[in-house]
Amino acid sequence: MTNQEQHIVAVIGAGPAGLFAARQLALSGVFVVIINRDLKPGGLVEYGFYPDKIKMKAGLRKQFSQIVELPQLEYFGNVSVGDEGDITLENLNRSGFQAILTATGAQGTKWLELPGETDYKGVYHAKDLVYHYNKLPPYSKHEFHIGKKVAVIGVGNVMMDIARWLAREKKVDEIFAIARRGPAEIKFDKKRMEYLIANLDQEALDDELGRVAPVMVAIGQDPEASREYILSSLPKAVEAVSNTKLRFYFLASPTKILGDDNGNVNGIEIANTTLIPIDDDTRAKTLWTRRTLNVDTVIYCIGDKVDEKYGLPVQWNEFVKNPNPQYPVDGISYEAYNPESGLPIQGIFIAGWSREVSSGLVGIARKDGERSAKAILKYLENVKPAANYMDIFAKFKSRLNRLEKPIVTKQHLPLLVKAELAEAQKHNLEDFKFDSNLEMLKIMNLI
Ligand SMILES: Cc1cc2nc3c(=O)[nH]c(=O)nc-3n(C[C@H](O)[C@H](O)[C@H](O)COP(=O)(O)OP(=O)(O)OC[C@H]3O[C@@H](n4cnc5c(N)ncnc54)[C@H](O)[C@@H]3O)c2cc1C
Ligand SMILES: NC(=O)c1ccc[n+]([C@@H]2O[C@H](COP(=O)([O-])OP(=O)(O)OC[C@H]3O[C@@H](n4cnc5c(N)ncnc54)[C@H](OP(=O)(O)O)[C@@H]3O)[C@@H](O)[C@H]2O)c1
């Protein structure tokens, strides 16, 4: 291989999966072009993590900056790929990149499609709120009508983050956490409860555990163990800052959103469920009995799906992967696949939450990105390095320059980092973020 010959790969998405994949590829001699919708790199670390995770964010931000600064790598922020984006995947695929990694996370919104869901004001998806309180433009400026009695659907860590924001920032009166299965199937990490346990209505919890105990016991579950799990954070309880009451409703599946004549949510109908054991797990079976909870806001915390307008086939909320991968890593397929033709989509790979939606912590996304890089490197073993990779890059860059919008590059990002640090110091804050693209672009001298 001469100096001029190099593989050139596009990585779409600069969350942990895309960035750590890019790092691995660049360190293996590939020329990497990262294309990111957001101005800043980081994905959900920047715009998903609860805002007070300052230390963890700082450590990750440092690693992300180091990746973006790698000489083998270029970064283009404020560019979205997709059928309705700045550039289509098809177009990108014709730009000469020898492989493309899709690491765009799970940007679609999963709804339950219940009657009333789209009819009334006050039904939201957690992702939009998380982006809002983490100051991601344009969500940062969206208005959300958060009332006093809020139903949160799902009992994972995202629900805990949302409930924490409702109790500690919005200071709502009541939070109704609705789980279609039982206390033994809660998905949240008990540590997350530390910020909420002071707001937990323990009497209501005991009543609810008593109510669902017969169903649990019938299938060999231990209600007391679940109680201990939920209450285990009591010794580390963070002091409450509101009178919010958090109540759990188990074995409850939402069936209808109710509203008033003014178009506002005023209730949620839930069906009782029971548990059917399947292998080592359970399934919720909906029963006929229904009840109504008076709430004025409903927030779905039930996970996400991928963006259906991105340009890759989607099934079951995820991009379709080649069921018989040519380049498996640890038995996992990272290869895009067209189920209609029954053929792999050559050269296009998928990683992170784009490969497996709403799945796992940042370390898992990192590992997934790194494994996808291994799959790409195996694929590239049979692809001749491009003698003209710099021409390919130059052409792509001039195509981006023809877009009528400012594009953020690795040369611009340090200006933003510096300005945000200065603002934090000036206002004596641990962290500061500009919440509009306009401000960020101005600071980077892009407008
Ligand atoms: C609310 C919430 C809180 C979390 N808190 C924690 C936590 O405290 N600790 C922890 O370890 N994990 C946490 N996680 C999980 C962690 O954030 C994820 O595991 C991880 O971010 C997934 O990485 P990813 O790179 O696959 O996707 P993402 O982080 O979503 O990154 C996707 C990237 O792709 C870009 N993109 C999207 N669409 C396009 C497009 N069309 N074109 C170009 N670019 C695009 C986005 O701009 C973004 O930069 C949390 C998740 C959520 C939802
Ligand atoms: N460490 C952190 O601070 C942190 C913070 C936020 C997120 N995360 C991580 O991010 C990932 C995603 O978290 P998540 O909370 O979105 O997902 P999750 O852990 O999978 O929880 C989703 C919840 O929604 C429920 N649900 C899903 N589909 C439903 C439906 N159709 N009807 C009713 N309920 C439904 C699930 O119930 P079933 O169990 O019955 O399916 C579950 O209770 C997880 O890995 C999580 O750990 C971490």
Side-chain angles (χ1 to χ4, degrees), residues 141-304:
K141 304 281 186 192
H142 286 184
E143 272 192 35
F144 295 91
H145 299 269
I146 306 294
K148 288 284 163 202
K149 292 164 169 262
V150 185
V152 288
I153 318 296
V155 283
N157 280 330
V158 169
M159 182 283 277
M160 291 308 258
D161 277 3
I162 291 286
R164 181 175 167 191
W165 177 71
L166 292 169
R168 303 190 75 84
E169 305 298 326
K170 305 309 281 181
K171 301 186 171 55
V172 303
D173 291 344
E174 286 173 274
I175 304 170
F176 305 75
I178 299 175
R180 64 178 165 184
R181 295 193 287 163
E185 286 90 5
I186 46 184
K187 295 256 182 79
F188 60 79
D189 172 1
K190 56 188 175 187
K191 201 169 158 41
R192 304 263 72 74
M193 196 71 195
E194 287 172 14
Y195 303 95
L196 279 161
I197 195 127
N199 291 100
L200 178 71
D201 183 339
Q202 282 191 47
E203 220 178 287
L205 177 71
D206 283 336
D207 289 350
E208 185 63 356
L209 287 171
R211 188 183 73 81
V212 300
V215 175
M216 296 179 75
V217 171
I219 59 165
Q221 293 179 345
D222 177 2
E224 191 48 38
S226 295
R227 185 176 184 275
E228 272 172 29
Y229 184 87
I230 297 171
L231 297 181
S232 59
S233 58
L234 266 175
K236 291 194 173 170
V238 175
E239 205 180 324
V241 296
S242 69
N243 294 320
T244 306
K245 287 285 166 223
L246 168 66
R247 302 197 179 94
F248 284 92
Y249 291 77
F250 294 111
L251 302 181
S253 181
T255 44
K256 200 191 270 183
I257 309 286
L258 309 166
D260 63 21
D261 293 344
N262 297 322
N264 296 315
V265 170
N266 69 1
I268 183 165
E269 183 192 83
I270 48 178
N272 287 349
T273 66
T274 191
L275 294 174
I276 309 289
I278 305 175
D279 302 325
D280 285 342
D281 204 357
T282 58
R283 179 173 74 75
K285 183 180 171 213
T286 304
L287 304 173
W288 284 106
T289 36
R290 304 271 193 275
R291 55 199 161 126
T292 299
L293 301 176
N294 295 325
V295 298
D296 49 27
T297 314
V298 176
I299 304 173
Y300 290 158
C301 311
I302 56 172
D304 302 302

Side-chain angles (χ1 to χ4, degrees), residues 3 7 15 24 92 189 210-211 264 266 276 311 350 404:
N3 276 344
H7 285 119
Q24 182 108 343
L92 194 66
D189 172 1
R211 188 183 73 81
N264 296 315
N266 69 1
I276 309 289
I350 309 169
E404 285 179 3

Side-chain angles (χ1 to χ4, degrees), residues 12-13 15-17 36-38 43-44 48-49 53 81 104 352-353 360-362:
I12 309 170
N36 195 38
R37 177 199 65 191
D38 305 338
L44 285 168
F49 275 35
K53 293 207 157 178
V81 175
T104 50
W353 278 26
L361 301 178
V362 69

Side-chain angles (χ1 to χ4, degrees), residues 369-382:
E370 288 170 346
R371 277 194 301 236
S372 74
K374 278 192 195 164
I376 295 172
L377 290 169
K378 272 202 227 168
Y379 167 78
L380 291 176
E381 282 173 12
N382 299 316

